[in-house]
Amino acid sequence: QVQLVQSGAEVKKPGSSVKVSCKASGGTFTNFVFSWIRQAPGQGLEWMGRIIPIHGTINSAQKFQGRVTITADKSTSTVYMELNSLRSEDTSMYYCAKYTDSGDGFDVWGQGTMVTVSS
Amino acid sequence: QSALTQPASVSGSPGQSITISCTGSSNNVGSYNFVSWYQQLPGKAPKLIIFEVNKRPSGISDRFSASKSGNTASLTISGLQAEDEAHYYCCSYAGSRTFSVFGGGTKVTVL
């Protein structure tokens, strides 16, 4: 049973950066593809990007290109999402999620990390 | 503005069937059989209930079914139960530049 455990809540100032971690357990890390998805308070889901750890391929949504960095550490089975130049609109719950084996859909989710951007 | 359009709310009485639509375009829903649906209970992470248009993951009730026609995907919940009250989101693959797009979500209320 694959589990994803994310780092704790963060409060950041506008203009700063945040780095959220997501540690996978219960499976073979390099067999998986991970995405980051965020959800502003009371709003819908927004796909941010994905990483394929086995060969390091990274794709991100156009909206976040240049501002988001997604990485993976195979030695610790952990994926990271760093978002810089934070603004108040980035206040959201950030989720990591694993794609299904077929590549469609996200079948395992982390518990979420609340990032609050406030002066 | 979400790439996929869902009704903001749908309601039904216990035992009834309801259908949630998810309208996209030829850039996403209409071109790929990669539509997934998620149930999100208050304060919880989303849960996958449908993938590849109409497949249910192990452990998901067969009261959940889904289909696609043209640019519109649909999720049907039959035999509506109080525990089905939640937000539901659709998601579609949108090609190798955009990847994944979500609908704005639908709140299902059991009357």
Side-chain angles (χ1 to χ4, degrees):
Chain A
Q1 186 85 2
V2 178
Q3 280 193 303
L4 302 177
V5 178
Q6 298 182 221
S7 49
E10 303 262 14
V11 179
K12 294 292 183 180
K13 299 284 189 190
S16 67
S17 298
V18 67
K19 190 170 186 177
V20 181
S21 68
C22 170
K23 184 173 176 61
S25 63
T28 303
F29 183 72
T30 48
N31 285 348
F32 302 143
V33 181
F34 299 94
S35 266
W36 287 93
I37 296 158
R38 76 177 187 179
Q39 185 172 35
Q43 302 301 310
L45 301 168
E46 183 174 32
W47 186 82
M48 299 181 69
R50 71 168 194 172
I51 185 166
I52 308 174
I54 192 169
H55 46 68
T57 298
I58 299 164
N59 306 100
S60 58
Q62 191 169 11
K63 173 178 179 176
F64 300 103
Q65 285 175 8
R67 215 160 62 91
V68 70
T69 303
I70 299 173
T71 56
D73 184 341
K74 289 182 280 190
S75 69
T76 60
S77 299
T78 303
V79 294
Y80 298 91
M81 186 282 300
E82 183 171 22
L83 188 63
N84 55 38
S85 302
L86 289 170
R87 34 214 190 224
S88 59
E89 311 90 87
D90 294 318
T91 294
S92 291
M93 184 72 80
Y94 289 79
Y95 293 102
C96 65
K98 182 188 83 62
Y99 281 88
T100 63
D101 291 345
S102 70
D104 178 54
F106 309 102
D107 61 351
V108 182
W109 293 67
Q111 82 277 20
T113 297
M114 186 67 205
V115 175
T116 302
V117 182
S118 175
S119 54
Chain B
Q1 192 99 7
S2 301
L4 307 179
T5 301
Q6 298 181 232
S9 63
V10 173
S11 61
S13 300
Q16 285 187 329
S17 293
I18 60 168
T19 297
I20 302 168
S21 61
C22 169
T23 301
S25 71
S26 58
N27 294 324
N28 40 65
V29 174
S31 291
Y32 307 100
N33 287 325
F34 294 130
V35 177
S36 51
W37 289 88
Y38 303 84
Q39 177 193 63
Q40 187 176 32
L41 298 171
K44 300 293 188 182
K47 176 182 178 181
L48 179 68
I49 56 174
I50 295 287
F51 66 102
E52 290 181 23
V53 176
N54 56 14
K55 298 179 181 178
R56 283 187 307 275
S58 174
I60 298 301
S61 171
D62 59 5
R63 297 188 300 104
F64 293 96
S65 62
S67 62
K68 189 189 85 166
S69 178
N71 295 338
T72 299
S74 300
L75 173 72
T76 297
I77 308 174
S78 57
L80 199 62
Q81 299 178 1
E83 68 201 47
D84 299 330
E85 196 160 281
H87 281 87
Y88 292 82
Y89 294 91
C90 61
C91 179
S92 174
Y93 180 67
S96 59
R97 294 187 68 180
T98 308
F99 284 90
S100 294
V101 290
F102 281 96
T106 298
K107 180 173 171 53
V108 168
T109 301
V110 181
L111 301 171

